[in-house]
Amino acid sequence: MGRNIVLLAVIFMLSGCGAGKFRESKVIFEDTYRLEDADNMEFIFTDDSTLTVLQKGIYELVQNEAGDPVVRICLDDISRELPEDYNFTEYLMRKVEDYIVLTYTTDEFNLDANPMKLFLLEGEDGLLSGEYFDGTYQIGEGGESYQYIFEKDGSIAMRVEERYYADQKGKMTLSDHAGSTKYLYETDKDTLILKNMKGDAVLTLIKEEDFD
């Protein structure tokens, strides 16, 4: 489960706190990158200053021993592992008004402090059906920047929509409805490295064609 949590943290670290101002980037990126050592994560930069992050995996809809509905999500790079090695994160599910609450749970403990709220955006509201479905949910109440995309073939993607602003001096700001975070960046023909403001590398991205 550790790798699953680490990759989720990579996505959520992209946003900051406080209101972000969206500007057209001075330096334009028009490439798709993969996170180094994680082929299931795509970073799609477009010429309208948009960055879409996709983390792909699989899901299962089951019940626990008490008969409660559970969704099991694996956002590891499953192309590199045997099925018995997949790292699933399990969430108890319950319907509240017009949204579904996911509560992280393991055999060791149950964490209720920060439940995840999912609001249906489009497609089927199928999380409690017990069967694979096509549907997209917004994660949280603040806006549509974070989404889960469920598909009938058992695949899932976590999508994060960002705006990027890069200048010619090697500085980049990533913003969404939750706020913005500043980075330093370096590029060459096939690599984009994002660093924190202290100069420590936090993300190394490789252009997608180099994985072919």
Side-chain angles (χ1 to χ4, degrees), residues 113-130:
N114 294 297
M116 187 187 309
K117 297 180 180 179
L118 299 187
F119 298 83
L120 183 67
L121 286 178
E122 59 185 24
E124 303 171 70
D125 189 6
L127 267 177
L128 299 177
S129 70

Side-chain angles (χ1 to χ4, degrees), residues 16-81:
C17 56
K21 295 182 179 179
F22 298 158
R23 298 174 289 172
E24 294 299 320
S25 183
K26 291 184 178 179
V27 177
I28 296 297
F29 294 87
E30 296 183 76
D31 294 294
T32 297
Y33 294 83
R34 301 282 183 89
L35 181 66
E36 187 177 46
D37 298 326
D39 289 356
N40 66 321
M41 291 193 69
E42 293 183 344
F43 293 71
I44 305 166
F45 290 84
T46 56
D47 60 3
D48 64 353
S49 302
T50 297
L51 167 62
T52 300
V53 183
L54 288 172
Q55 183 176 3
K56 301 176 182 179
I58 57 176
Y59 74 99
E60 297 177 350
L61 298 175
V62 298
Q63 292 184 343
N64 62 14
E65 293 182 355
D68 301 314
V70 170
V71 59
R72 304 179 72 231
I73 297 175
C74 174
L75 292 174
D76 278 348
D77 185 359
I78 60 175
S79 66
R80 297 183 177 184
E81 302 174 25

Side-chain angles (χ1 to χ4, degrees), residues 93-112:
M93 298 185 290
R94 58 187 173 91
K95 186 77 171 183
V96 178
E97 298 177 350
D98 61 343
Y99 58 87
I100 294 175
V101 174
L102 302 188
T103 304
Y104 172 66
T105 183
T106 70
D107 292 336
E108 291 79 24
F109 63 94
N110 200 329
L111 183 63
D112 292 304

